[in-house]
Amino acid sequence: RLTQVRWSRYGPDYLEPEVNKEVYRKPGQELSEEEKMEQDLKALQPIKAAPCNVTSSLFSDPTISKFINMMMKGGNKVLARSIMSQTLEAVKRKQVEKYHQASEEERESIECNPYVIFHQALKNCQPIIGISNIKKGGKTYQVPTPLTDNRKRFLAMKWLITECREHKHYRIFMHEKLSQELLQAFNNEGPVIKRKHDIHKMAEANRAYAHYRWW
Amino acid sequence: MAVAVRRVLRASRSWRAALGGQERWRAETLRLICTTTAVQKRNVPASGPEKYTEAFIKKQIEEFNLGKRHLANMMGEDPETFTQEDIDKAIAYLFPSGLFEKRARPVMKHPNDIFPKQRAMQWGEDHRPFHFLFYTGKQSFYSLMHEIYGKMLDIQKYQDQLKAQDLDEKKQINLIGSRWLIKEELEEMLVEKLSDHDYSLCIRLLERLVTLPCCGIEEEYVLKFRKELDTQLKKVVIEPLQYDDQGVAFSTGEGKRKTSRATVIVYDNGNGKITVNGIDYLHYFPVIQDREQLMFPFQFLGRLGKHNMVCTVLGGGSSSQAGAIRLASARALCSFVTENEAEFMRQAGLLTYDPRNKERKKPGQEGARRKFTWKKR
């Protein structure tokens, strides 16, 4: 099957690599017919090389890699990665402290896994509906528009990062501020969640102009 | 001839209707990026008398075979088992040429490879064309489309017959292991130029035919348009294990990425020590990401602490050296591991050479993609 390839060093029939080990663990009998067909097809097609920030270990996470890339400035991946690991460590420390200081009943509800907190915080920050500027009759209106999943994830991460960069005292470290923001977003509070709610309110207010959208 | 016209165009809801309402002009053309664009030629069926008659081509073939035997005698080889490769080597030896353009050097090939395939005269002595679709300009293409549509109608008739007899058979064609012919191959088959749009129409019609439940009847006809694919894993050469003095199994691998070249020796019965250019990997790669890449093949196979590795890397930066070592170690590990696991490694992207390189800077731009600042005046 021919695909639209704008410009890539790989040819058009190269498939994406599947790094997850669990996919290859399944024995032959448990596969359904469709999966068997897919496997046969895959055996005949060339596959791209795995990118350099991806491994099959438990510690590599696509969302976290994306977040690190977005935080990176000037190609300094080492710094971005260290900030990320320090953030996760700070989140874990805060949660463990809270855990030890809490009473017996509250201990079950406290989440200590920093990865879970990160994912939940991102999910809480994702807007449901977006705003786009549409020019009509000389005036620019803010029209509510639907967003794709990728766009939602991107906006959540972008808001987190800009929030941490701009609204912090210069003496506070980035990882410290980020961990504060993540914990606040996990509990549905904080400036990022407020920004998300602002967008929602503006979309609701401009509901009358929704028909200006033509796509 | 009128009968032929009526027979082929029998449902004048023709193959165009079979393609459904998707027959809108598609702005995006689907084609393989890897091939070069073909030069546009004049209308092939309407070309005049043939440049090379059949008799001429036959004579060329006889002369070629005779010349091949003479050449074999001259080189002292056996005329019966003289292959095309031997001919090429002999000609390069006898007529050494310093020309840079390979296509300008002396060549001795079978006339079928040299003279382009062309058609016989399309019209008779009374100047009336033989084929009834001659005046469409693409006679073989349109006749092919009508033929395929005719086959589709036959299959539908067969299905109706089965239904009338209350039988429910389904014969599907097995398409796994083959691909549709690319545009160039189809052009070669029809001896006629095709446009991208025509080619995509043809492929869509064939796919439509293949989706019918009883298409097994026309299997051999459809397989004419399919080409067999080899399993990709066969292209990867897996070397057997070697054993050194103490009886420890080891295997070598080579890998490259960007400008780095790495050679790796993976020893069995180890404790997970990795030495790069004589330095321990912890000191050579201070960045965690590079060390994760070194670990990747072992972690994927679950053999983290079981092998020792000695590597030499030259060129490139830290990331590209790590990538080169990763490829080399994955190739070396193929010899320690079963075929299935090697296939899994290939599907995880461990055994492919990464072709991405620094993109060249273009004239009129500041970098590969960045343009100069736009100034209004």
Side-chain angles (χ1 to χ4, degrees):
Chain A
R1 209 159 290 121
L2 305 172
T3 47
Q4 188 81 354
V5 169
R6 195 163 156 264
W7 165 236
S8 168
R9 293 299 306 236
Y10 297 108
D13 22 312
Y14 276 75
L15 304 173
E16 297 296 325
E18 177 61 64
V19 181
N20 193 6
K21 271 206 282 192
E22 299 306 310
V23 172
Y24 302 113
R25 283 280 165 84
K26 283 194 225 169
Q29 295 94 24
E30 283 179 10
L31 300 169
S32 65
E33 267 201 37
E34 281 177 7
E35 288 177 348
K36 278 194 186 142
M37 273 203 25
E38 270 178 44
Q39 268 192 358
D40 289 333
L41 275 172
K42 238 188 162 176
L44 300 164
Q45 273 154 325
I47 300 198
K48 299 185 189 177
C52 46
N53 37 4
V54 152
T55 44
S56 58
S57 77
L58 302 164
F59 299 107
S60 72
D61 193 7
T63 8
I64 300 234
S65 311
K66 196 53 129 203
F67 195 77
I68 291 173
N69 285 340
M70 285 183 69
M71 264 206 302
M72 176 166 64
K73 265 190 180 174
N76 199 345
K77 184 77 149 249
V78 177
L79 187 58
R81 254 186 101 120
S82 64
I83 293 176
M84 190 73 218
S85 50
Q86 284 166 351
T87 316
L88 293 172
E89 194 193 318
V91 162
K92 177 95 187 193
R93 276 182 196 274
K94 287 183 188 166
Q95 288 298 91
V96 165
E97 211 186 300
K98 219 165 118 183
Y99 184 84
H100 286 311
Q101 284 171 358
S103 58
E104 282 296 328
E105 304 95 14
E106 289 169 34
R107 279 193 176 179
E108 285 171 5
S109 65
I110 295 180
E111 180 58 57
C112 278
N113 188 351
Y115 292 95
V116 167
I117 293 184
F118 180 78
H119 285 118
Q120 189 56 43
L122 266 189
K123 232 189 203 174
N124 292 346
C125 288
Q126 283 181 8
I128 303 174
I129 195 165
I131 296 270
S132 64
N133 299 345
I134 294 188
K135 227 170 155 184
K136 186 152 172 164
K139 272 173 78 178
T140 325
Y141 298 100
Q142 306 275 357
V143 174
T145 36
L147 295 171
T148 54
D149 276 333
N150 282 337
R151 181 77 186 153
K152 289 181 192 167
R153 258 175 266 144
F154 168 77
L155 279 174
M157 290 198 251
K158 183 91 182 180
W159 289 343
L160 258 179
I161 294 173
T162 33
E163 176 60 45
C164 291
R165 280 182 184 160
E166 288 164 18
H167 297 219
K168 79 172 172 71
H169 188 60
Y170 66 90
R171 297 286 285 184
I172 302 180
F173 291 116
M174 176 75 168
H175 56 89
E176 178 63 41
K177 175 79 178 162
L178 236 192
S179 55
Q180 284 173 14
E181 290 301 326
L182 279 177
L183 285 169
Q184 283 183 324
F186 180 66
N187 298 326
N188 268 320
E189 2 166 284
V192 192
I193 300 286
K194 181 174 169 303
R195 187 164 170 181
K196 172 183 98 154
H197 287 321
D198 285 340
I199 296 275
H200 286 174
K201 279 180 211 161
M202 223 155 58
E204 187 57 41
N206 288 358
R207 228 174 117 158
Y209 304 128
H211 64 283
Y212 282 172
R213 181 173 63 95
W214 61 84
W215 61 89
Chain B
M1 172 77 165
V3 175
V5 176
R6 244 178 278 137
R7 175 171 47 85
V8 177
L9 298 176
R10 57 183 149 159
S12 57
R13 305 167 273 124
S14 61
W15 50 266
R16 275 187 219 277
L19 285 171
Q22 296 145 16
E23 237 276 46
R24 289 181 290 268
W25 170 250
R26 286 178 172 204
E28 313 148 13
T29 46
L30 308 165
R31 60 193 175 98
L32 289 176
I33 288 287
C34 325
T35 52
T36 55
T37 43
V39 173
Q40 293 300 321
K41 227 170 90 169
R42 291 194 327 268
N43 199 357
V44 171
S47 50
E50 307 158 36
K51 291 180 221 139
Y52 313 111
T53 46
E54 261 194 65
F56 173 78
I57 301 250
K58 260 195 193 161
K59 198 164 138 236
Q60 293 293 316
I61 294 179
E62 279 167 22
E63 282 185 10
F64 171 77
N65 286 327
L66 210 56
K68 199 165 88 161
R69 296 184 77 91
H70 279 303
L71 190 62
N73 279 329
M74 271 195 271
M75 302 300 288
E77 308 262 350
D78 180 24
E80 305 297 327
T81 55
F82 205 54
T83 58
Q84 185 59 46
E85 284 170 6
D86 298 328
I87 299 180
D88 291 332
K89 281 190 211 157
I91 296 287
Y93 172 72
L94 291 169
F95 304 99
S97 152
L99 297 171
F100 288 118
E101 177 68 55
K102 299 268 162 101
R103 289 179 290 185
R105 294 183 182 176
V107 135
M108 181 163 161
K109 282 201 162 51
H110 192 87
N112 282 343
D113 297 333
I114 300 183
F115 297 107
K117 251 197 198 170
Q118 54 176 15
R119 299 162 142 191
M121 290 273 276
Q122 300 296 309
W123 51 86
E125 280 191 8
D126 56 350
H127 298 283
R128 288 181 74 227
F130 295 133
H131 203 288
F132 70 100
L133 288 175
F134 174 79
Y135 288 111
T136 57
K138 313 180 229 179
Q139 62 180 45
S140 8
F141 167 68
Y142 284 114
S143 67
L144 177 74
M145 297 298 267
H146 282 296
E147 221 181 288
I148 300 174
Y149 185 65
K151 303 274 182 201
M152 267 177 77
L153 292 176
D154 289 336
I155 295 175
Q156 279 167 359
K157 225 204 257 177
Y158 180 74
Q159 273 171 247
D160 294 332
Q161 280 173 359
L162 286 184
K163 225 180 185 176
Q165 296 164 9
D166 281 331
L167 297 165
D168 197 22
E169 277 175 37
K170 286 201 179 171
K171 275 195 280 183
Q172 297 273 356
I173 307 181
N174 187 17
L175 294 174
I176 298 179
S178 53
R179 59 163 172 83
W180 291 117
L181 291 180
I182 52 172
K183 192 179 113 166
E184 276 72 14
E185 290 170 355
L186 194 58
E187 279 181 357
E188 216 184 337
M189 208 169 95
L190 299 176
V191 196
E192 185 178 75
K193 286 285 167 211
L194 291 174
S195 77
D196 293 335
H197 181 60
D198 294 336
Y199 170 71
S200 63
L201 286 178
C202 187
I203 295 294
R204 273 157 62 196
L205 193 58
L206 283 167
E207 301 226 337
R208 179 89 190 252
L209 191 150
V210 158
T211 49
L212 296 172
C214 287
C215 53
I217 317 164
E218 306 293 347
E219 188 168 338
E220 6 165 320
Y221 184 74
V222 172
L223 287 180
K224 271 197 263 176
F225 298 98
R226 296 289 283 192
K227 196 167 174 203
E228 286 289 321
L229 286 170
D230 299 319
T231 38
Q232 286 290 324
L233 194 58
K234 289 184 195 158
K235 299 182 187 172
V236 177
V237 177
I238 305 178
E239 288 182 30
L241 278 180
Q242 298 159 36
Y243 292 88
D244 72 352
D245 312 322
Q246 274 97 36
V248 176
F250 73 94
S251 157
T252 46
E254 280 176 10
K256 43 183 183 169
R257 168 97 216 269
K258 278 187 178 177
T259 346
S260 306
R261 306 282 179 263
T263 29
V264 141
I265 314 174
V266 178
Y267 293 97
D268 210 354
N269 295 346
N271 49 359
K273 253 190 355 186
I274 302 180
T275 317
V276 186
N277 284 354
I279 308 172
D280 190 36
Y281 73 111
L282 202 53
H283 298 293
Y284 195 84
F285 291 118
V287 181
I288 303 180
Q289 189 173 292
D290 301 337
R291 273 177 272 144
E292 278 178 0
Q293 288 299 293
L294 290 194
M295 279 195 330
F296 189 1
F298 298 101
Q299 203 270 342
F300 184 76
L301 296 168
R303 292 168 180 236
L304 263 179
K306 299 183 191 163
H307 294 280
N308 277 357
M309 208 156 75
V310 173
C311 337
T312 37
V313 203
L314 292 171
S318 56
S319 263
S320 79
Q321 281 185 344
I325 299 180
R326 183 185 93 182
L327 180 59
S329 55
R331 284 188 182 157
L333 278 175
C334 275
S335 349
F336 285 94
V337 132
T338 54
E339 253 194 46
N340 274 339
E341 295 208 294
E343 175 61 26
F344 292 153
M345 276 219 289
R346 185 192 76 88
Q347 287 189 9
L350 281 167
L351 294 175
T352 336
Y353 165 62
D354 201 333
R356 301 181 290 173
N357 267 324
K358 191 159 170 172
E359 203 174 312
R360 76 161 268 210
K361 176 194 169 324
K362 283 106 193 172
Q365 294 177 5
E366 196 175 311
R369 299 279 170 116
R370 170 157 165 82
K371 322 282 185 281
F372 288 122
T373 323
W374 179 72
K375 295 197 183 83
K376 199 158 177 179
R377 11 197 96 82

